Amino acid sequence: MARYGMVMDVTSCLGCRACMAACSQWNQTPFWAEDFKGKWRTRVTELEEGKFPETHKVFFPTICMHCENPPCHSVCPTGATYINKDGIVLIDYDLCLGCGYCIEACPYDARYEYEKEDLEKDEFYFGEDARHHQVHVDKCTFCVDRLAEGIEPSCAATCVGHARIFGDLDDPNSEVAKLVNSGKAKPLSPYLGVHPKVYYIK
Ligand code: SF4
Ligand code: SF4
């Protein structure tokens, strides 16, 4: 049993969005959606910081925060949203009604609908290897299928800037645990009380 988490080092993110491409290819998420506000399990948003004329760009990566007290879980009427033994928040597609309560409940905007037209595109691009077969709500799984094979999530494996650091928060020797326990990496909006397991260095 582990307690998986991720640290996003915003100071190291180059804004290349290789993570978004790698995630969407591995997980067959709708890369065919029209813009970067579309249906992604991970996003990198470009922000401007500082006061004019001394402003600078910052690239801000986000995913599902795999909260320890996730509101998406408590509002789900069917038990489709569940937490596995390693603390990963997952969705059982067979139980998902697509009601969207969880999308509304998530304070981090981490979920989206995998719609009928997306299933058609998935089949068009991936043929018999298509991984999505029913309409459902979708989000990051920390690439749970890769973890089962002993390999890290696709976004972290692809990140050239080492801006995404993945590991077991309960292992004091892991890089994520060291960054979190030292106070260098902090959660976003802790006042929400959902206890995210994704932390940020800013
Ligand atoms: S970030 Fe949103 S979708 Fe992910 S566990 Fe937290 S509440 Fe649920
Ligand atoms: S859309 Fe699916 S996962 Fe979300 S609350 Fe409804 S049944 Fe649960």
Side-chain angles (χ1 to χ4, degrees), residues 14-157:
L14 307 171
C16 65
R17 297 194 170 96
C19 50
M20 292 176 66
C23 170
S24 65
Q25 279 298 311
W26 182 266
N27 294 299
Q28 299 178 8
T29 63
F31 53 81
W32 43 84
E34 279 177 9
D35 56 39
F36 283 129
K37 291 178 189 142
K39 301 172 176 182
W40 302 87
R41 288 187 182 187
T42 183
R43 295 177 193 151
V44 177
T45 307
E46 188 176 320
L47 304 172
E48 201 163 273
E49 282 195 343
K51 274 195 179 165
F52 182 82
E54 286 175 18
T55 55
H56 61 276
K57 278 184 188 167
V58 172
F59 297 99
F60 203 85
T62 53
I63 52 171
C64 167
M65 306 280 170
H66 296 278
C67 309
E68 290 190 336
N69 183 22
C72 60
H73 178 242
S74 47
V75 300
C76 180
T78 64
T81 291
Y82 67 101
I83 305 170
N84 84 355
K85 64 177 178 34
D86 295 320
I88 303 175
V89 178
L90 296 171
I91 303 166
D92 181 336
Y93 299 155
D94 289 336
L95 294 178
C96 180
L97 303 171
C99 65
Y101 291 171
C102 54
I103 296 175
E104 295 300 321
C106 172
Y108 297 110
D109 195 22
R111 294 176 169 233
Y112 68 89
E113 282 178 279
Y114 209 102
E115 298 173 276
K116 187 163 175 288
E117 70 228 39
D118 297 319
L119 297 176
E120 289 163 5
K121 288 270 176 51
D122 191 31
E123 196 179 343
F124 174 78
Y125 285 110
F126 293 97
E128 60 184 23
D129 294 328
R131 295 173 68 169
H132 298 270
H133 304 290
Q134 68 243 80
V135 169
H136 61 86
V137 167
D138 197 67
K139 69 164 197 71
C140 160
T141 65
F142 271 162
C143 288
V144 69
D145 53 336
R146 291 170 63 98
L147 296 180
E149 301 293 325
I151 41 178
E152 65 177 349
S154 142
C155 61

